[in-house]
Amino acid sequence: MESKTRIVKSAELKNSIIKRLYFDKALSCADLSEVLEKSVPSVSKAISELIEEGFLMEQGYAPSSGGRRPLMYCLQPSAMYIVTVAMDQLSTRIQMVDLHNQPIAETVMTELKLFHNPNALTLLIDYINDYIDASGVPRDKIVGIGIGMPGFIDSAKGFNYTYLDSDGQSLTELIAEKTGAPVYIANDSSLIAIAEQKFGVAKNHNDVMVINLGWGIGLGMIVNGELYRGHSGFAGEFSHIPLFDDGALCTCGKRGCLEAEASMLVVAEKAIQGIKDGHISSLKHTDKDPYKVVGNAIMEAANNGDQFAIELLSDAGYKIGKALAILIHIMNPESIVLSGRGAIVGKILLAPIQQALTKYCIPRLAKSTELLISELGFNAELIGTAVLIMENFDKDNKNQSIINKQLSMEKTSKN
Amino acid sequence: MESKTRIVKSAELKNSIIKRLYFDKALSCADLSEVLEKSVPSVSKAISELIEEGFLMEQGYAPSSGGRRPLMYCLQPSAMYIVTVAMDQLSTRIQMVDLHNQPIAETVMTELKLFHNPNALTLLIDYINDYIDASGVPRDKIVGIGIGMPGFIDSAKGFNYTYLDSDGQSLTELIAEKTGAPVYIANDSSLIAIAEQKFGVAKNHNDVMVINLGWGIGLGMIVNGELYRGHSGFAGEFSHIPLFDDGALCTCGKRGCLEAEASMLVVAEKAIQGIKDGHISSLKHTDKDPYKVVGNAIMEAANNGDQFAIELLSDAGYKIGKALAILIHIMNPESIVLSGRGAIVGKILLAPIQQALTKYCIPRLAKSTELLISELGFNAELIGTAVLIMENFDKDNKNQSIINKQLSMEKTSKN
DNA sequence: TATACTTTTTAAAATAATTTAAAAAGTGCT
DNA sequence: AGCACTTTTTAAATTATTTTAAAAAGTATA
């Protein structure tokens, strides 16, 4: 009888090879041996097994660095697939990517209201199942389903305390049961943060604060190279820190929150009021436009040089800068990334933010943090969701099923 | 010829056993096997070797939990010693403890001004050397010298950018060279934090914020179970976050810093002014008293029920509470510990802090963080220093020398 | 008080992983 | 073009670690 432990042990190394190659695209046997701190023969053996099993493939020879040219290995993209879901309060996007992070079809976007919608969860599950069915990918080839959503989220336990009420049951367990694939959930800002750290402007930075500028102001924190979510999963609740002594009333019931002073929603409100008051601007506005339309219009106008729009954004930027000063003092990060929807006016925000940092930061601290603007755009959350799945690939047993299945299939075919 | 690798490999396990026993006092072979994730035979072999080498000893049998009683092992206290140094701006304490954390003599306290004192470093080295010489402990039995000091400190590189100018050379390397033992330095607040997490009220908490209430306001952060110091070692610069719109002028040159509004030094200043203005209080004061004497007097008076002193501290407490609200929003810690000198009036500060948290925190967040008062007192920093040394015991090669020496001695004696 | 069931520890066997050595495949200089 | 030097890969030998099995020392219960 074959020992179970041997399979598990050898699967451990194989999983970490797969994970590593997902992030680093292509590596030689020697590279893998070094980064995984395993001997070359061990890695070599695992690689040839993985190739036989269809997870890896040879990619060709890399240029020599003064000796024999290394044979590079990469993941077989069609070996497994990742389902990525990005939700906001109004709509949900679904996408499936292969192991090279390439989408296998167009992103599907559906209306799905989270607020006061008891059917939201059922609908979400239906959408996901429909999408997977339509893709034609069998369930056992899906590494996992990652779902990014707003709200107070406990990733470890799988709960969202704000939306998608699941009647006390774990969201991840429930959805996994109904879809037949492992499920991970996370806060949208967290996902944007890991996307920026793995594939964005903060690549390989160990301590990064990613600001999710949108209708609210989110914060995703990378601490010691890992996503930090705090003791109960609520860390990064940046938008409700008490920042202004007698500020505007916030939706949370308190006064002076950052969100109530500097979010894109507030900028939109101010724009509407300003135009009513007769400000000169290229912005047009009818009372029926939802704030989001106005918000997008402002950002576009600002990028086209509209002075009123730039003024409004600068004002918000300065306030965000004050909040970032606090963040820098506490966290001393390597970089701060402006991401999310608001990133498209990142360059306009940069100046007032810097100005605020100069005023509110100890120079030594301000100097040691870099301010960056995201280049990932709207895709950040979907990318982050895929990262979330692969980050857990070696830690969790959920995925072990895939390799174990493969192994048992092999055995069967041999008999 | 004996393979060098074998010694290193086996030393790795041995080091982690020593480290573990330092923190957990006494464990059985089975316990160690479980926590270190090594097989029982491996651990068993390492233990018997460590006993032979004089590092471990049998402590007796623990009560059975339903089977054979486990034989408990603990460290041989006299096997090695740790030198702990705690500095503040005016004075320096030196102490040596054994592996059971027991002081081997009285703590020595010396005047040593850090500010504008070019001789400070030389004096420090002399004091340490004198202390070690007086103790009679040979240098090769010293695991390390840990030094806690105020200022901007980069522990990894061994620099203090505020005090003890070493002309571009690493402080740790310099002192190690002159004392003949490995040296580690860290910020005082960081040390208090790790002391609280390993041996204090926040024992085994993974995410803890420790407030060092003193003449300034420091912050030591434990994140994911480890001390967090940020990208360049400056994280936790809590006392200079911009908190009040038009606050008092701070020593850092800015306005509205927490430190300028709520440190014990400020409380002392206000007390002096208040008495001048005719406030009724048990406090007596002459103009020549240094602020520190006044500060201590206020804390004592407050604990004895003096209303004016309590009022002053409450005011400071409320402001600290507002700052803690920000910290909770960002970090969502398991607990916040009030430590440092100010901890003796912790109970008085608790009420106004809670009040501020209720006002400025989202309830869900406030609820998930526990407010604790330190019980370690004045010793926290010295304990933290010892922890610092032992935390690095398995990571670093500095200590390997000890076990290697032991090994080569053994060999010599056999020849 | 004997029996069934625990848990810890020791010893022997099996297996996994690393080290060492050697071969293969290049680079760069004379 | 050939030689010295690199780096990567493969193969064999060695070493380390784990698993398995068994013994030792207790507890709880019928």
Side-chain angles (χ1 to χ4, degrees):
Chain A
M1 198 185 74
E2 196 162 36
S3 128
K4 193 183 174 184
T5 340
R6 205 173 76 207
I7 296 176
V8 173
K9 271 274 160 185
S10 103
E12 253 171 45
L13 177 56
K14 288 185 190 176
N15 282 345
S16 49
I17 289 174
I18 292 176
K19 176 178 165 182
R20 200 75 208 189
L21 283 173
Y22 170 77
F23 289 111
D24 292 349
K25 311 297 182 201
L27 293 170
S28 72
C29 178
D31 292 337
L32 282 165
S33 163
E34 201 184 330
V35 295
L36 301 176
E37 293 179 300
K38 293 279 156 186
S39 70
V40 172
S42 303
V43 173
S44 174
K45 191 186 162 211
I47 287 176
S48 39
E49 283 177 28
L50 281 169
I51 289 177
E52 235 183 85
E53 289 157 25
F55 290 107
L56 255 59
M57 56 191 220
E58 297 179 354
Q59 207 206 27
Y61 291 93
S64 160
S65 58
R68 175 170 169 176
R69 292 188 311 189
L71 182 53
M72 305 303 279
Y73 300 93
C74 69
L75 291 175
Q76 174 64 256
S78 59
M80 295 184 285
Y81 296 90
I82 305 164
V83 178
T84 62
V85 182
M87 310 180 79
D88 68 19
Q89 275 87 350
L90 296 176
S91 58
T92 289
R93 285 173 288 157
I94 307 183
Q95 172 66 280
M96 194 186 285
V97 297
D98 63 24
L99 290 179
H100 284 185
N101 260 352
Q102 293 305 308
I104 62 151
E106 286 281 291
T107 305
V108 169
M109 187 153 175
T110 332
E111 294 277 304
L112 179 54
K113 283 190 185 154
L114 286 177
F115 203 59
H116 292 316
N117 181 1
N119 293 322
L121 184 53
T122 320
L123 285 171
L124 174 66
I125 293 170
D126 287 348
Y127 290 149
I128 294 174
N129 271 325
D130 290 351
Y131 184 89
I132 297 174
D133 290 342
S135 75
V137 171
R139 305 285 157 139
D140 61 359
K141 276 210 162 190
I142 293 173
V143 198
I145 300 170
I147 312 177
M149 42 179 89
F152 276 113
I153 290 174
D154 188 327
S155 283
K157 293 183 188 154
F159 284 105
N160 186 331
Y161 297 107
T162 315
Y163 303 108
L164 292 173
D165 188 53
S166 53
D167 211 23
Q169 211 198 327
S170 158
L171 271 181
T172 48
E173 283 173 21
L174 184 73
I175 303 174
E177 200 181 292
K178 303 253 182 184
T179 56
V183 172
Y184 296 83
I185 65 172
N187 177 271
D188 46 6
S189 297
S190 298
L191 293 176
I192 291 176
I194 54 180
E196 295 293 351
Q197 196 236 354
K198 291 294 180 186
F199 295 113
V201 287
K203 192 159 183 173
N204 298 327
H205 288 194
N206 260 319
D207 303 302
V208 195
M209 302 291 116
V210 180
I211 309 297
N212 182 12
L213 286 175
W215 313 121
I217 296 177
L219 169 62
M221 310 166 84
I222 307 287
V223 173
N224 284 330
E226 277 178 40
L227 182 70
Y228 177 71
R229 288 308 303 163
H231 170 56
S232 26
F234 306 147
E237 204 30 72
F238 197 52
S239 51
H240 298 288
I241 57 172
L243 201 64
F244 304 98
D245 278 350
D246 286 300
L249 189 66
C250 181
T251 50
C252 77
K254 301 181 184 299
R255 283 189 177 279
C257 298
L258 175 63
E259 182 170 302
E261 296 278 348
S263 74
M264 288 301 136
L265 212 62
V266 170
V267 170
E269 280 172 2
K270 285 187 179 170
I272 292 170
Q273 192 58 45
I275 291 166
K276 271 188 191 162
D277 294 352
H279 261 92
I280 298 162
S281 164
S282 66
L283 290 164
K284 286 157 203 162
H285 165 68
T286 59
D287 258 354
K288 285 158 204 155
D289 280 353
Y291 286 125
K292 296 206 171 181
V293 174
V294 179
N296 285 325
I298 293 167
M299 295 199 280
E300 205 186 314
N303 275 335
N304 289 329
D306 184 279
Q307 283 304 311
F308 180 53
I310 290 175
E311 235 172 70
L312 287 173
L313 287 173
S314 294
D315 187 50
Y318 190 81
K319 286 169 176 168
I320 291 168
K322 188 179 179 186
L324 293 186
I326 293 180
L327 198 58
I328 288 175
H329 277 252
I330 295 175
M331 302 303 296
N332 178 224
E334 182 168 0
S335 57
I336 291 178
V337 181
L338 302 180
S339 189
R341 279 188 180 78
I344 59 166
V345 288
K347 279 191 181 162
I348 292 168
L349 293 170
L350 223 47
I353 288 176
Q354 282 290 7
Q355 206 181 330
L357 291 185
T358 309
K359 173 157 185 195
Y360 294 113
C361 255
I362 294 178
R364 185 194 296 282
L365 285 172
K367 244 187 290 177
S368 58
T369 296
E370 215 178 340
L371 248 178
L372 304 170
I373 297 169
S374 170
E375 292 164 1
L376 256 33
F378 198 42
N379 280 319
E381 193 176 343
L382 288 171
I383 295 170
T385 306
V387 171
L388 178 72
I389 303 276
M390 295 309 291
E391 274 274 279
N392 285 289
F393 193 76
D394 59 343
K395 286 172 196 157
D396 232 73
N397 318 37
K398 287 184 189 169
N399 60 68
Q400 221 105 82
S401 55
I402 288 184
I403 285 196
N404 284 345
K405 263 176 210 156
Q406 204 83 14
L407 278 166
S408 58
M409 276 168 59
E410 238 179 89
K411 273 179 146 185
T412 319
S413 66
K414 274 179 190 166
N415 292 352
Chain B
M1 196 187 73
E2 197 162 37
S3 128
K4 193 186 174 183
T5 340
R6 205 172 78 207
I7 296 176
V8 173
K9 271 274 158 186
S10 102
E12 254 171 44
L13 176 56
K14 287 184 189 176
N15 282 345
S16 49
I17 290 174
I18 292 175
K19 174 178 167 180
R20 200 78 208 187
L21 283 172
Y22 170 77
F23 289 111
D24 292 349
K25 310 297 182 199
L27 293 169
S28 71
C29 177
D31 293 337
L32 282 165
S33 162
E34 203 185 329
V35 295
L36 301 177
E37 294 180 297
K38 292 279 156 187
S39 70
V40 172
S42 301
V43 172
S44 176
K45 191 186 162 213
I47 287 175
S48 37
E49 283 178 27
L50 280 168
I51 289 177
E52 237 182 84
E53 289 158 23
F55 290 106
L56 255 61
M57 57 191 220
E58 297 179 355
Q59 207 206 29
Y61 292 94
S64 160
S65 59
R68 174 169 169 176
R69 292 188 312 189
L71 182 53
M72 305 303 278
Y73 300 92
C74 67
L75 291 174
Q76 174 63 256
S78 59
M80 296 183 285
Y81 296 91
I82 305 164
V83 177
T84 62
V85 183
M87 311 181 77
D88 66 20
Q89 276 87 351
L90 297 176
S91 59
T92 290
R93 285 173 289 157
I94 307 182
Q95 171 67 281
M96 196 187 283
V97 298
D98 63 23
L99 290 180
H100 285 185
N101 260 353
Q102 292 305 310
I104 62 151
E106 287 280 291
T107 304
V108 168
M109 188 154 173
T110 332
E111 295 275 305
L112 178 55
K113 284 192 183 151
L114 286 177
F115 205 59
H116 292 313
N117 182 0
N119 292 323
L121 183 53
T122 319
L123 285 171
L124 173 66
I125 293 170
D126 287 347
Y127 291 149
I128 294 173
N129 271 325
D130 289 351
Y131 184 89
I132 297 175
D133 289 343
S135 75
V137 171
R139 306 284 157 141
D140 62 359
K141 275 209 163 190
I142 293 173
V143 198
I145 300 170
I147 312 177
M149 43 180 89
F152 277 113
I153 289 173
D154 187 327
S155 284
K157 293 183 187 152
F159 284 105
N160 185 333
Y161 297 107
T162 315
Y163 303 107
L164 290 174
D165 188 53
S166 53
D167 210 22
Q169 212 199 327
S170 159
L171 271 181
T172 48
E173 284 172 20
L174 184 74
I175 303 174
E177 200 181 291
K178 304 254 181 185
T179 56
V183 172
Y184 296 84
I185 65 171
N187 175 272
D188 45 5
S189 297
S190 297
L191 293 176
I192 291 176
I194 54 181
E196 294 293 350
Q197 197 236 353
K198 291 295 180 186
F199 295 113
V201 286
K203 193 162 183 170
N204 298 326
H205 289 194
N206 260 319
D207 304 302
V208 195
M209 302 291 116
V210 180
I211 309 296
N212 182 12
L213 287 176
W215 312 122
I217 297 176
L219 169 63
M221 310 166 86
I222 307 287
V223 172
N224 284 331
E226 278 179 40
L227 181 69
Y228 177 70
R229 288 308 303 165
H231 168 55
S232 27
F234 306 146
E237 203 30 71
F238 198 51
S239 50
H240 298 289
I241 58 173
L243 201 65
F244 304 98
D245 277 350
D246 286 301
L249 189 66
C250 180
T251 49
C252 76
K254 300 177 186 300
R255 280 190 178 280
C257 298
L258 174 63
E259 182 171 301
E261 296 279 347
S263 74
M264 288 301 136
L265 212 61
V266 170
V267 170
E269 279 173 3
K270 285 186 179 170
I272 292 170
Q273 192 57 46
I275 291 167
K276 271 189 191 161
D277 294 352
H279 262 92
I280 299 161
S281 164
S282 66
L283 289 165
K284 286 159 203 161
H285 164 68
T286 59
D287 258 355
K288 285 160 206 155
D289 280 354
Y291 287 126
K292 296 205 170 181
V293 174
V294 179
N296 284 326
I298 293 167
M299 295 198 280
E300 204 186 314
N303 275 336
N304 289 329
D306 183 279
Q307 285 304 310
F308 180 52
I310 290 175
E311 235 171 70
L312 286 174
L313 286 173
S314 293
D315 187 51
Y318 190 81
K319 285 168 177 170
I320 291 168
K322 188 179 178 187
L324 292 185
I326 293 180
L327 197 58
I328 287 176
H329 278 253
I330 295 175
M331 301 303 297
N332 178 224
E334 183 168 1
S335 57
I336 290 178
V337 180
L338 302 180
S339 189
R341 279 187 178 81
I344 59 167
V345 287
K347 278 189 181 162
I348 293 170
L349 293 170
L350 224 47
I353 288 177
Q354 281 289 7
Q355 206 182 330
L357 292 186
T358 309
K359 173 157 184 197
Y360 294 113
C361 255
I362 294 178
R364 186 193 295 285
L365 286 172
K367 245 187 290 178
S368 57
T369 296
E370 218 180 335
L371 249 178
L372 304 169
I373 296 168
S374 170
E375 291 165 1
L376 255 34
F378 199 42
N379 280 319
E381 194 176 344
L382 288 172
I383 294 170
T385 305
V387 171
L388 179 72
I389 302 276
M390 295 309 290
E391 275 273 279
N392 285 290
F393 193 77
D394 58 344
K395 285 173 196 156
D396 233 72
N397 319 38
K398 288 184 190 170
N399 60 69
Q400 222 105 82
S401 54
I402 288 183
I403 285 198
N404 284 345
K405 262 175 211 159
Q406 204 83 13
L407 277 166
S408 57
M409 277 168 59
E410 238 178 272
K411 272 180 147 184
T412 318
S413 67
K414 273 177 189 165
N415 292 352

